[in-house]
Amino acid sequence: MAETIVSTERLTKTFGGRTAVDAVGLTVRRGEVYGFLGPNGAGKTTTLRMLLGLVRPTAGTALVHGLAPGDPRAVARTGSLVEGPGFYPYLSGRENLRVLARFQGLPDADADRALERVDLTGRGRDPARSYSLGMKQRLGVAAALLGDPDLLVLDEPTNGLDPAGMADMRALLVDVAAGGQTVLLSSHLLAEVQEVCDRVGIIDAGRLLVEGTVAELRGSTEIRLRAVPADRALAVAMAVAGDDAVRVEGTELRLAAPAGRVPELARALVAAGVDIAALHTVERSLEEIFFDLTTAPREEVPA
């Protein structure tokens, strides 16, 4: 198993009488893209700020690179973009990055390389105040990339990007992870996360509801069937997949069964004189999983 880069145990933060983060335990491994998902106000940003040493936890523990959050050795190996990036508006994008690079003891060439990685070289001489929201996000990611940190912590990195910019950001994140760096990103754009993340954690009302690979959370393939007569089709489906694996959704039957059972089901339906109107397989999207979890009654949600 890959080395653990970030881990928390019962990490908690309260503000007055409100619990923003409630006993969160998550694990991020080297070389993966970890998606930290949740609706607005779920506790994502507060958790990331605790991992970066910007906010002290009320209770629980966290380790980043095996060190306490905020430890200078951990900070030196971590790049971050949390909430909105801040830059000198009268300096160009390149000049802003060079200021940050020099502060870290890095050559100007590192700033130029980071600018190129986020596809801002053509606008590098323009003042930061002229940048759109999406361009400022790109510049913020470039700043996080300075020094090639082992860990990137990114809070909503695609905020303000158009579809082409989102595609570029996806490619960048995959490239970063392929190079051995680790990415921990928060997002509410579930389709984007599904495209790039190896593992995800879903948080709601401060609690981590579930953590695992995208494939694990999406579960097995579902078979969907429309056929007549409906009662005979139901009987055949239950005989093939089992009584508990079939449910009725309007005019459609849904079978919790692998795609490999489709030929067997089709043969059984035809043999029983059932007319098949539609028979296909689907995989649940990460968005469906997310809404199932975040709209479930609290007592039914796994801790």
Side-chain angles (χ1 to χ4, degrees):
M1 183 176 292
E3 175 190 356
T4 297
I5 298 297
V6 177
S7 64
T8 70
E9 184 174 347
R10 301 193 63 79
L11 190 65
T12 301
K13 181 62 182 179
T14 59
F15 296 98
R18 183 177 69 87
T19 300
V21 177
D22 187 2
V24 165
L26 59 83
T27 303
V28 181
R29 300 167 186 155
R30 178 177 295 280
E32 72 179 0
V33 181
Y34 184 103
F36 195 40
L37 313 180
N40 291 334
K44 302 187 302 296
T45 298
T46 300
T47 300
L48 297 186
R49 290 175 69 85
M50 285 192 284
L51 293 177
L52 293 169
L54 301 175
V55 172
R56 288 184 179 274
T58 304
T61 59
L63 291 174
V64 180
H65 306 294
L67 302 164
D71 185 295
R73 293 168 294 174
V75 171
R77 298 171 60 189
T78 304
S80 64
L81 169 62
V82 177
E83 297 181 320
F87 296 103
Y88 296 109
Y90 53 87
L91 295 182
S92 69
R94 177 177 285 106
E95 288 167 341
N96 268 285
L97 290 185
R98 288 181 174 180
V99 168
L100 293 172
R102 290 169 187 172
F103 180 76
Q104 298 177 50
L106 302 172
D108 288 350
D110 278 34
D112 296 339
R113 186 162 53 249
L115 202 66
E116 183 177 1
R117 290 188 75 179
V118 298
D119 198 25
L120 273 180
T121 301
R123 296 292 302 275
R125 296 181 181 275
D126 296 345
R129 64 171 176 266
S130 70
Y131 285 9
S132 66
L133 174 60
M135 291 171 64
K136 289 176 181 176
Q137 284 295 107
R138 290 177 188 238
L139 191 61
V141 172
L145 288 167
L146 288 171
D148 291 324
D150 295 330
L151 170 66
L152 280 179
V153 178
L154 306 176
D155 189 18
E156 302 284 358
T158 58
N159 184 37
L161 297 181
D162 59 19
M166 289 182 181
D168 290 342
M169 187 63 69
R170 284 199 305 267
L172 174 62
L173 296 178
V174 170
D175 179 63
V176 165
Q181 293 168 279
T182 304
V183 180
L184 167 57
L185 68 95
S186 76
S187 181
H188 64 276
L189 299 176
L190 304 180
E192 294 295 308
V193 168
Q194 184 171 306
E195 293 268 346
V196 302
C197 289
D198 303 295
R199 296 171 61 249
V200 300
I202 297 177
I203 188 173
D204 187 34
R207 294 181 59 199
L208 188 69
L209 306 181
V210 68
E211 182 182 62
T213 67
V214 172
E216 287 169 347
L217 297 188
R218 294 180 68 185
S220 60
T221 302
E222 184 177 69
I223 299 173
R224 297 188 180 181
L225 167 68
R226 285 192 294 109
V228 291
D231 56 346
R232 199 180 307 165
L234 176 61
V236 172
M238 294 173 69
V240 171
D243 293 1
D244 295 336
V246 182
R247 72 181 192 277
V248 180
E249 295 281 346
T251 61
E252 188 175 65
L253 297 180
R254 299 190 177 186
L255 291 69
R261 303 297 294 275
V262 169
E264 177 188 357
L265 177 61
R267 288 193 297 268
L269 290 167
V270 171
V274 175
D275 293 330
I276 301 172
L279 177 59
H280 61 102
T281 60
V282 297
E283 288 185 336
R284 297 178 74 198
S285 69
L286 195 57
E287 185 172 40
E288 290 175 304
I289 304 297
F290 175 83
F291 284 116
D292 282 352
L293 287 169
T294 58
T295 59
R298 184 59 57 209
E299 65 272 16
E300 296 179 6
V301 174

